[in-house]
Every structure is written in structure tokens, then in C-alpha cells.
Amino acid sequence: MYAWAELEEPWRVALELAWEAYLAGTIPVGSVVADSNGGVVARGRNRIFEAPGHGLSGSRLAHAEVDALGQLPVTDRYRDHVLYSTLEPCLLCTAATLLATVGRIEYAASDPFGGGCSGAIDTAHWRRSAPEIAPPLGDWPGGLSAALQSAFWQAHPRLRRADEIVEAFGEDARRAGARMLQLDGSAPVLEEALPHLLDCL
């Protein structure tokens, strides 16, 4: 069985935000920034397919990581902080982490379609100040994140490149996502929905 209570707080909050995004009908990615003690100091979720009104909502820039990083005051530096994301940050979010001066990136699942953490960035600023990038967390949080991605894109086949994205996440995520779409009702709190979601994996 899963160990929700044993997950570090930043992971729990990020997963809750991904679930909130999923229920809101946008791409299910959640992200938080945690300080050197592991305390969450900023939180964000994807808002691309939401109506304008909250930050960058309704724009292609409304990524979960940008939503969280944008809350950090410019008066400080954050080299001892960590950006947590349920999905591998794209190039936009990886660069935003650098510019926000956050020192480390951790993510639950790789993004085989748009991930930006495994490529090579070679600029003087990147070489000087790049955040450390951890390997994906994997395990059930990674599996859950990948399945939620697949479920979202399967539920929205008319969105541009939906089929390609589902294919990129692979057959296991596709099957799990399809099972998630068959669940009756959606608990608004992730911890309540989690046993049913994990049965789909």
C-alpha cells in the first residue's frame, strides 16, 4: 500500500495541487518551493486551460512551476531552496528556476514529451548558477503523475498534440489513465481519492 503520510510535505502538497489542477480541467501538474528546512514557502499549479484572472491563467505560460516561482520575493536569493514538481519541468520552468535563484529541482515523473531537465543547456549564466537537478522520484508518486497526464490528454483528444503526448507517456500510463477516467465521481481531496487512483496503476 502507498505511504502518503511518509511522503515529505512538499511532495504531498505538490501532488494535491496536481489533483486540484486535474479537477479544474487543466494539465495536472503541481509544484512547490520549499526552504532549507523542507517548509513550503510557495505553491503553484498548472492554469493553462483556465479562464484569465489568476496570475498567468489562460496563457501558455501558466505552468505550475512558474506559478510557484513567481511568488518568491525578488529581494532574496534561494540557493538553499528546492523546487518540487509532480512532472519534469520543461525548458521554460527549468530556466525560471535558474532565474529565481532556486538551487535544486526535484520532480516525480519524467516528461518524455516536453521535459527540459535531461538536455544540455550551455550558457555562461547556466554554467555559473544552474540548479542541481535530481533524478525523478518515481515509485507510486511518479506513476500517479504519469497516469494523470495520460488521463488528462485522453479526456481532451481535440487539444493540439494530445495523441502524441499520450503516446509519449507510454502504454502503462495510457492504460492507467484510461482506468482513471472510468472512476465514478472525483473526491475533491487527493488523500480520499488516492486508494482508487492507485488501484488504476
Side-chain angles (χ1 to χ4, degrees), residues 31-34 41-45 47 54-56 61-76 78 81-84 92-93 95-102:
S31 185
V32 302
V33 178
V41 298
R43 55 188 72 205
R45 66 172 177 82
R47 297 176 185 275
H54 179 282
L56 295 169
L61 301 180
H63 292 211
E65 299 88 346
V66 172
D67 194 26
L69 292 164
Q71 298 167 35
L72 298 176
V74 73
T75 52
D76 292 317
Y78 303 95
H81 286 48
V82 179
L83 174 76
Y84 291 83
L92 167 71
C93 299
T97 306
L98 167 71
L99 294 174
T101 72
V102 171

Side-chain angles (χ1 to χ4, degrees), residues 135-186:
L137 178 66
D139 201 22
W140 69 261
L144 175 63
S145 179
L148 282 172
Q149 294 306 308
S150 191
F152 172 82
W153 291 102
Q154 287 180 65
H156 299 87
R158 291 194 173 119
L159 291 176
R160 187 170 180 267
R161 302 190 119 158
D163 290 343
E164 291 176 61
I165 295 170
V166 170
E167 183 178 341
F169 276 91
E171 188 60 24
D172 289 344
R174 188 199 63 74
R175 282 196 301 266
R179 287 192 288 269
M180 286 178 178
L181 291 174
Q182 295 172 3
L183 293 176
D184 293 328
S186 296

